[in-house]
Amino acid sequence: MILVLNNAVEGGYMADEIAQFLPDTRVYNYPNEDGDPSLEDVDGVVIGGSEVGVYDEPDQPWITAQKRFARRLVKEGVPTLGICFGHQILNAALGGEVVDSGTSRLRLHDAELNADEPLFDGVEPTVPVLHSDVVTEIGDGMEIIGRADYYEYFATRHRDQPVWSVQYHPEFTPRIVDEYDGWEEADRSFEDSTATRTLANFADLVEANASES
């Protein structure tokens, strides 16, 4: 089973969209539940997006707790995928830095994704982004597997553990575009994007890890 951490403080933020692209999931609303979720019968974890930033930790004490939980996932070798805020908190939990870039991006954008990385198998470079926060220093043990023209640390993975993170939202599709104010139409089309394959690939990696265990 794959555990999806919904990091929405006040509802929404696409955790249910993530779940629909994965087999056998459980969604856990981390900010509004009491403590860490159980990892019993959990084969993998997806850390989802949020409307708050990692640097909002003083006002959002659950972020401190989730950083500890993220470090536990890495230490125990639980296959983990961080998406947007999840990408940022994984790197921050391992000693990296996250800041508000001052520029909101809600659009399809091209990225340079490592072609040798199984997480990106069949994933075209056009991906949906919805963020202003960026990782400016990656965490200990993390390495770059994807870049964008405005963002050196667009995607990362842990060099020793089955842990990946991406700034883009692979779960974001035309079905929910109208729910997000400010989405920019660009010269790219969702027909050019296969970002949802990221989630299918992660599920395959989780299954392979479980088979090896």
Side-chain angles (χ1 to χ4, degrees):
M1 184 264 291
I2 296 177
L3 175 69
V4 178
L5 298 188
N6 177 5
N7 286 321
V9 176
E10 297 183 359
Y13 241 93
M14 295 184 271
D16 291 337
E17 298 299 317
I18 294 171
Q20 75 168 338
F21 290 105
L22 296 168
D24 188 21
T25 59
R26 176 165 64 93
V27 176
Y28 184 88
N29 184 243
Y30 198 101
N32 297 300
E33 295 285 356
D34 184 19
D36 293 340
S38 170
L39 290 178
E40 184 177 359
D41 298 323
V42 170
D43 300 307
V45 176
V46 177
I47 304 176
S50 182
E51 71 274 37
V52 301
V54 172
Y55 46 76
D56 289 321
E57 195 169 351
D59 298 323
Q60 302 288 337
W62 63 271
I63 294 176
T64 302
Q66 191 171 112
K67 283 182 177 180
R68 288 195 298 267
F69 187 62
R71 287 191 290 270
R72 176 186 171 190
L73 296 174
V74 175
K75 182 179 180 180
E76 296 184 7
V78 178
T80 301
L81 173 64
I83 295 173
C84 196
F85 175 88
H87 165 63
Q88 296 156 11
I89 200 169
L90 271 170
N91 278 281
L94 297 174
E97 296 290 337
V98 177
V99 302
D100 185 346
S101 71
T103 300
S104 294
R105 293 176 171 86
L106 291 84
R107 62 199 300 267
L108 289 167
H109 200 90
D110 285 348
E112 179 185 339
L113 305 175
N114 188 336
D116 296 326
E117 175 55 58
L119 185 70
F120 300 141
D121 184 27
V123 178
E124 296 296 327
T126 299
V127 293
V129 297
L130 296 88
H131 71 106
S132 62
D133 294 351
V134 295
V135 174
T136 56
E137 182 178 337
I138 56 176
D140 294 341
M142 301 296 272
E143 56 189 14
I144 301 168
I145 57 172
R147 293 178 170 86
D149 56 8
Y150 67 97
Y151 196 165
E152 183 177 4
Y153 308 123
F154 192 75
T156 61
R157 69 157 295 161
H158 198 279
R159 64 174 59 96
D160 300 316
Q161 300 286 36
V163 173
W164 299 264
S165 68
V166 298
Q167 184 60 69
Y168 64 92
H169 281 273
E171 76 280 22
F172 191 85
T173 66
R175 195 182 75 80
I176 59 171
V177 164
D178 291 342
E179 298 178 22
Y180 289 83
D181 294 337
W183 180 258
E184 304 173 31
E185 295 298 330
D187 56 358
R188 298 162 181 83
S189 165
F190 275 100
E191 293 179 358
D192 302 322
S193 178
T194 56
T196 57
R197 284 285 301 271
T198 311
L199 293 166
N201 292 337
F202 177 66
D204 289 343
L205 290 164
V206 170
E207 183 178 1
N209 185 80
S211 297
E212 294 171 0
S213 300

